[in-house]
Amino acid sequence: MKTNLHPRFILGAQLMLSFMLVMVLPSCEDQIETTYTYQTQVPVFIEVNSFREADIIIEPGIPLDQPGKIYIYGDYLFISEPGKGIHLLDNTDPGNPQNLNFINIPGTGDMAINESILYADNYVDLLAFDISNPENIQLVKREKDVFPNLYSNEETGTIVTYKDTLITSTESNMRWNSWGRPTFRTDMVMLETAAYAKSDGGQSYGQGGSMARFTLLGGHLYTVDEYSMRVFNVESPMDPKYLSDIDLGWGIETIFPFKGNLFIGSMTGMHIYDASNPAEPREMAVYSHITSCDPVVVNDNYAFVTLRSAAICRNGANELHVLDIKDLNAPTLIQSYPMDNPHGLGLSGDYLYLAEGDQGLKSFNVADVKEISNNLIEHLKNYVFTDIIPGPKSLIVIGPDGVCQFDYTNPEQLKELSCINVAN
């Protein structure tokens, strides 16, 4: 008997048969397995005695590997290698800086200099070095257990830190969430005005970048971690003494001193502390904003705050906020400006210099804070920068590729003087 089937029925049957064959018959081709390679940080547990009993070695200058923070003192430039140590360079000629030596300090992240005494963290301890003779640097004091947030077990003297590691996995969901764990914040890398950095009540301090976590004011050293500010008496520079720990909340990132006050950048805003009694700073105000990474610099009338988006910054905004701080007890937002991906910033007179990460370096005339977006002077795009120091001799800018210096005597046109690139 002849059966007349509709062509659409025949086509559907053929497609169904083909699908069943694919499902039943083994494949003749190799299975494809996707691998994921990414950089993260894995925990490393260390006994405190392992680094306290080891000598701090001063060795001849070595190439930059992973530059973190910058700091200047006199004719010297200091560059940190987070977790490893500090490079010391002779910067008498910013066009030709000379690499002098490297101070091996495991677990270091930040630094400050007071009367030729260099303060640096060594995991949970604070170290003081006499650098008056750069050819013969001496460790003069170790203040123990002043940064206890790294302890995983204080009773056994075990601390936890994190090591950059490349991970290869077939699991696409293996990436760590980096939020909330202690680590060396190389992406977050104190800026003071040149006059203020030179002296404070007769004391000689150095000058650092806007992403610093160490700063000096009124014979005291202030350090911040993710949650708190620690206060040290350094009126006797060789003998730093821990005084107190002040709770600041969470997401604390940077600290900036200006005329007896401390401006602290956090992921949620800016804290202002009155340090007229330097041993007992007092909170005056808090300016709150959307959760973002947040360094700050100030002058007499205004605070300039950058907000940056990134995974570690809770994917916040990319903006520059300008605050009126004439009344330090009531800072108010004047204007916000969209930016690319702002990191550190530096202020020199009426000129603001802003590091835009892989988007380079921008300079603005900020004489009129309500017209900053219309007063972009330059945008140097062929660099990757994260922090800035407007120093007395040059504009010093740092990023993952190295450290560059610019002549900014004519702020309308920056002129590159030198660049020290990383070894790899």
Side-chain angles (χ1 to χ4, degrees):
M1 181 176 65
K2 184 177 180 180
T3 303
N4 293 322
L5 298 177
H6 194 281
R8 289 185 178 178
F9 179 85
I10 297 174
L11 178 59
Q14 291 173 338
L15 290 174
M16 180 61 71
L17 179 61
S18 299
F19 175 76
M20 293 176 64
L21 289 173
V22 168
M23 295 295 291
V24 174
L25 295 177
S27 173
C28 298
E29 297 185 8
D30 294 336
Q31 298 294 317
I32 298 176
E33 185 177 75
T34 302
T35 60
Y36 302 85
T37 299
Y38 53 92
Q39 181 169 302
T40 186
Q41 291 186 319
V42 297
V44 177
F45 296 91
I46 302 171
E47 302 298 322
V48 292
N49 289 335
S50 66
F51 62 84
R52 284 178 178 163
E53 295 173 357
D55 292 332
I56 299 293
I57 300 173
I58 313 297
E59 62 182 84
I62 61 175
L64 297 186
D65 182 23
Q66 292 182 320
K69 308 288 179 72
I70 44 177
Y71 200 92
I72 57 176
Y73 183 78
D75 287 329
Y76 296 100
L77 171 62
F78 298 79
I79 306 171
S80 73
E81 292 271 354
K84 299 177 182 178
I86 299 173
H87 301 268
L88 194 162
L89 294 85
D90 184 338
N91 200 42
T92 303
D93 177 7
N96 187 31
Q98 300 296 308
N99 199 345
L100 296 180
N101 49 38
F102 182 72
I103 310 172
N104 282 278
I105 311 174
T108 194
D110 280 83
M111 58 189 149
I113 300 175
N114 172 24
E115 299 283 358
S116 295
I117 301 300
L118 167 68
Y119 306 116
D121 49 338
N122 175 215
Y123 294 118
V124 294
D125 298 346
L126 177 72
L127 305 184
F129 295 88
D130 183 346
I131 59 168
S132 56
N133 180 1
E135 302 298 327
N136 186 29
I137 297 173
Q138 298 291 323
L139 175 64
V140 294
K141 186 175 183 183
R142 176 186 291 274
E143 186 81 335
K144 296 181 180 179
D145 294 329
V146 293
F147 306 119
N149 55 303
L150 289 179
Y151 272 114
S152 62
N153 189 325
E154 197 164 356
E155 291 184 0
T156 62
T158 305
I159 63 174
V160 59
T161 183
Y162 292 83
K163 179 181 179 181
D164 288 332
T165 305
L166 284 177
I167 300 293
T168 299
S169 173
T170 57
E171 299 293 330
S172 61
N173 62 349
M174 287 290 289
R175 295 176 183 271
W176 279 14
N177 181 353
S178 61
W179 168 252
R181 54 183 176 77
T183 183
F184 302 110
R185 294 291 298 277
T186 57
D187 65 320
M188 296 191 33
V189 205
M190 149 188 79
L191 171 78
E192 306 169 36
T193 63
Y196 197 74
K198 290 180 181 176
S199 64
D200 172 28
Q203 294 166 312
S204 176
Y205 299 151
Q207 182 181 356
S210 66
M211 288 188 170
R213 291 174 177 250
F214 279 29
T215 196
L216 292 154
L217 182 66
H220 287 69
L221 171 69
Y222 303 92
T223 73
V224 295
D225 60 26
E226 285 79 3
Y227 305 98
S228 62
M229 173 169 60
R230 289 178 174 81
V231 184
F232 299 82
N233 185 317
V234 293
E235 292 173 306
S236 297
M238 287 190 180
D239 187 25
K241 295 179 179 178
Y242 170 74
L243 297 181
S244 64
D245 184 343
I246 300 173
D247 181 38
L248 297 174
W250 64 273
I252 304 302
E253 297 182 308
T254 63
I255 185 167
F256 178 92
F258 189 77
K259 293 188 176 180
N261 299 299
L262 299 168
F263 295 81
I264 299 167
S266 79
M267 289 189 182
T268 59
M270 178 187 70
H271 303 250
I272 303 176
Y273 272 75
D274 175 4
S276 55
N277 178 359
E280 298 179 356
R282 176 182 62 85
E283 183 178 272
M284 300 177 71
V286 178
Y287 164 72
S288 299
H289 57 59
I290 186 173
T291 303
S292 302
C293 289
D294 173 13
V296 54
V297 296
V298 305
N299 59 23
D300 287 326
N301 298 316
Y302 304 107
F304 299 85
V305 181
T306 56
L307 283 67
R308 173 169 56 90
S309 67
I312 202 167
C313 311
R314 297 287 182 93
N315 295 311
N318 287 298
E319 296 175 342
L320 171 68
H321 285 196
V322 183
L323 310 178
D324 186 329
I325 57 168
K326 298 183 188 70
D327 181 357
L328 291 172
N329 293 290
T332 57
L333 177 66
I334 296 176
Q335 194 84 20
S336 62
Y337 298 97
M339 294 292 160
D340 295 319
N341 193 225
H343 289 61
L345 66 171
L347 189 62
S348 177
D350 287 335
Y351 295 90
L352 180 73
Y353 302 93
L354 194 152
E356 284 271 31
D358 59 8
Q359 298 298 314
L361 173 67
K362 290 178 179 176
S363 56
F364 298 89
N365 185 316
V366 295
D368 185 347
V369 295
K370 293 185 179 180
E371 293 292 331
I372 291 178
S373 61
N374 296 323
N375 288 307
L376 173 65
I377 299 170
E378 283 189 290
H379 186 183
L380 307 181
K381 298 182 179 181
N382 296 325
Y383 301 91
V384 180
F385 289 140
T386 56
D387 204 10
I388 300 169
I389 299 178
K393 291 185 176 182
S394 62
L395 183 75
I396 306 173
V397 195
I398 193 169
D401 296 335
V403 177
C404 292
Q405 298 189 64
F406 294 86
D407 180 347
Y408 69 125
T409 52
N410 176 9
E412 301 288 330
Q413 185 174 8
L414 299 180
K415 179 183 178 182
E416 184 183 306
L417 296 173
S418 64
C419 282
I420 305 171
N421 297 320
V422 299
N424 298 308

